[in-house]
Amino acid sequence: MAARKNTFDDKLARIRALAHAEPPAAAAPDLGRLLADPNPFLVGEAAKVAADLELRALAPDLAAAFDRLLGMPAMSDRGCHAKEKVLEALITLEADVWDTYRKGLRYVQIEVTVGPPVDTAGLVRGLSAHALVRTNFPRAALEVTPLLFDATPEARVAAAEALRDTCEVVCAAVLHTRVLVGDPEPDVLGACYRGMLALEPRQYLPVVAAALEAGVEIAALALGESRLPEALLVLKEALVHANAEMEKTVLLGVALLRTDEALTYLLELLAEAPESRAIHVIQALSLHRHDTRLVSRVSEIVSARKSRKLARVFAERFGPNEDG
């Protein structure tokens, strides 16, 4: 009787077993074979295990698997999930397979859906952009910049983040150009603002401040995530004229600064502001609900105000049910 071929379930079970191999290097031969499997799902699962085990020797196998996946019909890897896992593995292993990443940067996968056909490879292009930057490809900025004008928001966000990670000051001007052109997706603008503030804060803090003054809410979050001390004054000034929705975002921006000065300011607001604003302060401070000292201070202030509404919001945001 002929030996039974390994089934899909057999291979998947083998991949999961290899995740616990001791020593990890012992898993390399089998994972290498599984990365060459014709089933994209199994390739993606094998890639994840290779990354988790830090098997850098499998970088060539991963690159070959990615190249092969690019040539398969769209239906074989719907949503590009296997391609994404292989790219994530290559990034984790810091593999400098630049030609592979450049192919990924230009890959488009059109899939038929209930509505119009859609391109599902936006994240593939975005991951490829990150990979070129993280592996120090000499011309990464030149390769990545066109992706700022990609049709998919996730690719544009990834391009902005990758350009920030180049640490090249000139990339701040490139991100500013994307902002000046405009973008319908707040996440894209937010990524650009964060990059501008990270690369050249003195030049672009006024630009992001002006956007906030003009009512661009995502600018408040970018200012908070910048951790720049000067951002607190900008956010304080924005709070003076903010409507209820903008107020919530500005206060969250203050909380994102994570500085003692910013947290002290929020605690002062909690103690003195009208009840409606104090509710928004509690919501912003809940970002730090795992800081026991801060939670204790917030609890004291809420108790001192003797407001049932504030007490209820505090319980909702900081209580034991918040995490689960």
Side-chain angles (χ1 to χ4, degrees):
M1 180 182 295
R4 182 174 68 90
K5 292 183 178 180
N6 287 339
T7 66
F8 174 89
D9 289 339
D10 292 333
K11 293 175 182 177
L12 185 57
R14 181 58 180 156
I15 291 171
R16 289 173 176 167
L18 290 170
H20 307 286
E22 286 293 343
D30 278 359
L31 283 175
R33 285 188 288 272
L34 288 160
L35 285 170
D37 195 272
N39 187 303
F41 178 82
L42 294 174
V43 173
E45 293 301 297
K48 185 177 183 304
V49 173
D52 291 342
L53 296 180
E54 300 181 356
L55 298 175
R56 288 178 171 78
L58 288 179
D61 301 85
L62 286 161
F66 184 73
D67 288 348
R68 191 174 65 257
L69 289 170
L70 293 184
M72 289 184 176
M75 291 297 292
S76 64
D77 182 26
R78 288 184 64 86
C80 294
H81 299 303
K83 299 177 191 72
E84 291 167 9
K85 287 182 180 179
V86 173
L87 278 173
E88 288 166 353
L90 286 167
I91 292 171
T92 298
L93 299 177
E94 301 176 335
D96 55 354
V97 286
W98 295 331
D99 286 344
T100 296
Y101 300 143
R102 293 174 73 193
K103 291 175 187 175
L105 199 65
R106 294 163 177 77
Y107 181 70
V108 174
Q109 180 162 305
I110 304 299
E111 297 184 19
V112 177
T113 64
V114 175
V118 296
D119 176 9
T120 62
L123 188 53
V124 168
R125 297 192 292 276
L127 287 168
S128 299
H130 280 296
L132 285 172
V133 172
R134 294 184 187 183
T135 57
N136 299 313
F137 179 61
R139 297 165 62 86
L142 297 181
E143 295 279 353
V144 170
T145 293
L147 205 65
L148 278 177
F149 297 88
D150 193 89
T152 63
E154 60 266 34
R156 300 198 299 276
V157 169
E161 293 172 343
L163 289 171
R164 175 200 62 200
D165 292 343
T166 64
C167 298
E168 297 177 20
V169 172
V170 70
C171 288
V174 175
L175 295 173
H176 190 199
T177 301
R178 174 71 260 192
V179 169
L180 291 173
V181 170
D183 197 292
E185 294 293 333
D187 287 347
V188 177
L189 291 176
C192 290
Y193 290 142
R194 290 193 299 272
M196 291 156 59
L197 292 171
L199 292 169
E200 190 58 32
R202 184 177 300 180
Q203 176 79 16
Y204 290 110
L205 183 63
V207 174
V208 182
L212 178 56
E213 187 177 358
V216 181
E217 286 190 48
I218 198 70
L221 302 182
L223 286 163
E225 292 171 339
S226 74
R227 308 284 182 88
L228 295 170
E230 301 87 348
L232 179 57
L233 179 59
V234 174
L235 291 165
K236 282 183 178 181
E237 291 175 349
L239 199 58
V240 174
H241 306 291
N243 59 29
E245 279 305 307
M246 179 64 85
E247 177 179 285
K248 291 170 63 175
T249 307
V250 171
L251 289 168
L252 180 56
V254 175
L256 284 167
L257 285 170
R258 300 178 186 272
T259 63
D260 290 341
E261 187 179 2
L263 294 176
T264 297
Y265 172 66
L266 289 175
L267 292 173
E268 290 172 352
L269 278 181
L270 179 58
E272 302 168 3
E275 189 176 65
S276 60
R277 176 166 288 186
I279 288 172
H280 293 161
V281 173
I282 292 173
Q283 292 169 341
L285 283 168
S286 68
L287 180 69
H288 306 286
R289 60 185 176 274
H290 299 301
D291 183 336
T292 55
R293 292 180 61 186
L294 180 65
V295 173
S296 177
R297 186 72 186 108
V298 173
S299 178
E300 291 172 4
I301 295 172
V302 170
S303 297
R305 291 201 58 160
K306 301 186 184 303
S307 163
R308 290 183 179 179
K309 186 175 290 188
L310 292 182
R312 184 175 68 252
V313 174
F314 174 77
E316 291 171 352
R317 289 285 176 160
F318 289 86
N321 293 330
E322 178 64 15
D323 292 330

